[in-house]
Amino acid sequence: MRYVSLSDVKVGQQLAFGIYDYHGKCLAELGDYIDNKIQFYLEDNGFRGVYIEDKETEEIRVNPIVFPKKRAVMMRDVLFCHIPECQEHAETIVQELKKSGDMQLDYLDPRGEKDYIYAHSVNVAIIAGVIGLKMGMPAKRVEQLILAALLHDVGRQRLPDNIGENRGRLSQEEYLTMKLHPSISVQMVREKGYVTEEVRNAILYHHENEDGSGYPDRLTTEKIPVFAKILHVADVYDALTSVRPHKGAYLPIEALEYLEGGAGISFYGPAVSALEDCVPEFPKGTGVFASDGMSGTVLKNIAESKGRPMIVTDKGEIINLSKQGFNNLLLTSIVEHAEYTIEENEVHRREMISGKRHFRLMIVDDQKTNLLLLKDILEEYYELTLLKSGEQAIDFIDNNTCPDLILMDINMPGMDGIQTATIIQQKTSYMVPILFVSSNNDLNTVLACRNLGCAGYIVRPYNSVYIKSAIKEILTGESGQIC
Ligand SMILES: [Fe+2]
């Protein structure tokens, strides 16, 4: 069998695993041939790809730890928060993991985006189980860890749809609502049955960071329960390797590098190291290209030679890439994945560990060129509202959710920036910071703005790095260019 990305899925290919939704409904059986209906379902539900059977790769067998049919049953029990059933699933996962040998995370879950929360919960359960066992925890404790993982996000169901399902970036208010989900999960679990205090605390604290920047209680390293630390690592690893509306999927190795970068700061180092031992650079059944032009599919990963798998070439030869003659070749994965700049990765990293915050900025300036210039600099990072007069700004404040920051010109026909800012401050009880951006550098004007208690004053022409940094500092209290 081999993994094919969605764009390479073709009618007539034979499925290596069945396809089920989170209600357990079977949409295609193992061995079925892909037809137009299945292809449409995969596209419509945001699948990344599927495993297919073909002659050339028949020797390759990928172990998903929990097969899709059983996964669907687990997903349904997570959906209904069936605690005794989830306890049994936890036992099953431990048994399967113990049978599976090295590199347990060789399977890329091709799940659909619409099943995200439930598929995510099952994946986090498997990943947390792998970490727990690798860290030497006894099987009975790992079962409790897995139970917590299965139930860690059940509370998301009770959030408004767009927040709970995490479709896209969240506004500040939505983000604050999102932060309630660990407590809601604990509440739901209490309503549905009994779990130990250790399981409840793992659920409650699975978004805490080692440095105290997480939520709900901003706990620091020694106060965070070890189960919660492991869930946090498993949770972020799975979120990174999946497609979300606001981001593409990282390759497993990229997700691992990201976690390594945050070890000791956001993530518990020993859990990251344990995971590292079980994540192959090139998962079994996925395609690779070598720097000499050879291409093939990964047959086997070998723990002692990480990143140098055995492959079946497109010509049917089996080659061990750790052996002499091949060990200098550079390998590239051909699994479709998102490629991000360092800056974009940094945005994702922050979102992943502290939730998605998407600040809203209102920019008020009568000159179109000034508005467009600020739009160019800021639209990548913020949700912008561009307005051309003080009157429009006040009307907007009266009828919409307040922005997180206002950038205000001073010299405008009609109501000027200072008059507008004064009215907005009264209407919002001084809750919205105002940053003046103006070519007017007259001292009296600057002092008048300062007396209003404005957040800052930037004189045009400005440097784009400077303005990004000033905005970030006002919004988060941190220096740097973006937030
Ligand atoms: Fe969560």
Side-chain angles (χ1 to χ4, degrees):
M1 67 174 71
R2 67 189 170 94
Y3 177 86
V4 287
S5 298
L6 187 68
S7 57
D8 296 324
V9 169
K10 293 189 177 59
V11 168
Q13 288 170 330
Q14 190 180 21
L15 289 168
F17 296 112
I19 298 172
Y20 300 82
D21 70 10
Y22 64 89
H23 289 287
K25 188 173 159 214
C26 178
L27 302 146
E29 298 270 12
L30 174 162
D32 278 357
Y33 290 90
I34 295 173
D35 57 17
N36 288 325
K37 206 169 129 210
I38 296 173
Q39 194 173 30
F40 177 78
Y41 179 86
L42 297 173
E43 282 168 15
D44 192 44
N45 282 272
F47 274 67
R48 292 177 63 185
V50 285
Y51 285 89
I52 60 154
E53 295 285 5
D54 62 13
K55 192 95 192 95
E56 296 75 33
T57 59
E58 63 186 356
E59 282 177 74
I60 301 173
R61 305 319 300 165
V62 179
N63 175 8
I65 307 294
V66 178
F67 281 80
K69 189 172 182 177
K70 182 78 179 170
R71 266 180 198 249
V73 174
M74 291 185 182
M75 281 155 69
R76 198 192 56 217
D77 287 327
V78 170
L79 165 69
F80 294 111
C81 197
H82 288 151
I83 292 174
E85 287 80 355
C86 285
Q87 178 68 56
E88 282 173 27
H89 298 323
E91 289 165 24
T92 306
I93 292 173
V94 170
Q95 285 160 13
E96 292 303 320
L97 284 174
K98 287 177 104 176
K99 283 193 250 165
S100 65
D102 290 335
M103 296 291 170
Q104 290 110 319
L105 297 173
D106 234 340
Y107 172 76
L108 293 180
D109 181 16
R111 69 209 151 164
E113 259 182 51
K114 290 184 184 166
D115 303 336
Y116 178 72
I117 301 177
Y118 312 104
H120 168 71
S121 301
V122 175
N123 279 334
V124 172
I126 294 169
I127 299 161
V130 164
I131 296 173
L133 289 173
K134 197 80 196 171
M135 285 173 67
M137 281 184 182
K140 282 286 160 204
R141 279 207 80 209
V142 177
E143 285 173 12
Q144 292 296 294
L145 171 65
I146 292 175
L147 177 63
L150 286 170
L151 300 170
H152 79 287
D153 266 351
V154 288
R156 284 215 211 172
Q157 294 171 49
R158 292 194 181 169
L159 300 177
D161 279 357
N162 64 322
I163 304 176
E165 290 171 22
N166 216 343
R167 292 191 206 125
R169 293 175 188 277
L170 302 180
S171 71
Q172 187 79 329
E173 294 145 84
E174 289 168 337
Y175 170 63
L176 292 175
T177 309
M178 179 67 174
K179 281 169 56 166
L180 300 174
H181 81 269
S183 336
I184 301 173
S185 297
V186 171
Q187 181 60 36
M188 275 181 74
V189 169
R190 276 187 203 277
E191 288 166 16
K192 294 285 184 167
Y194 174 79
V195 296
T196 63
E197 191 181 357
E198 191 173 31
V199 170
R200 281 198 303 272
N201 283 338
I203 296 171
L204 185 60
Y205 296 125
H206 75 270
H207 282 287
E208 296 288 359
N209 293 326
E210 295 290 296
D211 64 357
S213 62
Y215 64 86
D217 288 347
R218 300 180 75 89
L219 298 184
T220 46
T221 179
E222 69 286 356
K223 301 256 176 63
I224 308 171
V226 70
F227 275 13
K229 290 170 185 263
I230 295 172
L231 285 197
H232 189 30
V233 168
D235 182 23
V236 173
Y237 176 80
D238 185 65
L240 284 170
T241 50
S242 59
V243 178
R244 306 298 301 126
H246 55 279
K247 63 168 263 306
Y250 284 50
L251 289 173
I253 192 69
E254 293 168 334
L256 203 57
E257 281 169 8
Y258 170 104
L259 289 167
E260 283 162 355
I265 304 164
S266 307
F267 310 114
Y268 181 50
V272 176
S273 305
L275 180 62
E276 195 182 349
D277 288 342
C278 308
V279 173
E281 199 158 323
F282 302 100
K284 204 192 272 187
T286 62
V288 286
F289 264 136
S291 49
D292 66 349
M294 175 172 67
S295 58
T297 309
V298 177
L299 171 67
K300 192 177 174 190
N301 275 289
I302 307 151
E304 308 77 60
S305 52
K306 271 203 99 177
R308 312 302 306 173
M310 284 173 75
I311 64 166
V312 183
T313 69
D314 292 349
K315 291 178 184 150
E317 282 173 278
I318 294 178
I319 289 180
N320 184 340
L321 293 168
S322 67
K323 289 277 180 296
Q324 237 187 348
F326 300 105
N327 53 3
N328 290 330
L329 295 177
L330 287 176
L331 298 180
T332 316
S333 173
I334 59 170
V335 174
E336 236 170 48
H337 68 289
E339 290 187 34
Y340 293 109
T341 63
I342 291 172
E343 202 170 58
E344 286 166 331
N345 269 328
E346 181 56 17
V347 172
H348 292 157
R349 190 187 70 78
R350 261 195 311 271
E351 288 181 349
M352 206 58 72
I353 57 180
S354 347
K356 281 152 211 59
R357 269 184 282 184
H358 202 49
F359 292 105
R360 295 186 178 121
L361 267 55
M362 179 204 277
I363 308 176
V364 190
D365 199 310
D366 60 310
Q367 298 287 329
K368 195 174 169 194
T369 45
N370 289 341
L371 287 174
L372 293 180
L373 185 61
L374 284 168
K375 179 171 177 263
D376 271 359
I377 296 171
L378 300 171
E379 71 177 344
E380 191 178 340
Y381 313 111
Y382 303 106
E383 189 181 321
L384 303 180
T385 303
L386 307 181
L387 300 172
K388 289 197 72 182
S389 71
E391 290 82 357
Q392 280 182 1
I394 288 165
D395 187 54
F396 184 91
I397 294 281
D398 282 340
N399 295 298
N400 296 279
T401 310
C402 283
D404 299 300
L405 172 68
I406 299 172
L407 273 60
M408 180 75 74
D409 181 25
I410 292 183
N411 299 331
M412 296 187 286
M415 202 182 285
D416 71 22
I418 295 179
Q419 289 170 309
T420 310
T422 309
I423 296 171
I424 289 176
Q425 284 181 325
Q426 284 161 1
K427 283 182 180 286
T428 61
S429 308
Y430 293 81
M431 293 302 283
V432 182
I434 299 176
L435 172 64
F436 286 100
V437 183
S438 171
S439 51
N440 184 341
N441 60 358
D442 164 65
L443 185 60
N444 286 334
T445 310
V446 176
L447 286 176
C449 294
R450 290 262 178 245
N451 287 339
L452 280 180
C454 71
Y457 194 108
I458 291 178
V459 179
R460 256 192 316 260
Y462 47 74
N463 174 312
S464 66
V465 172
Y466 176 68
I467 199 160
K468 281 195 269 189
S469 169
I471 290 171
K472 179 177 178 186
E473 197 156 356
I474 294 166
L475 290 169
T476 67
E478 297 164 23
S479 52
Q481 283 188 38
I482 53 169
C483 58

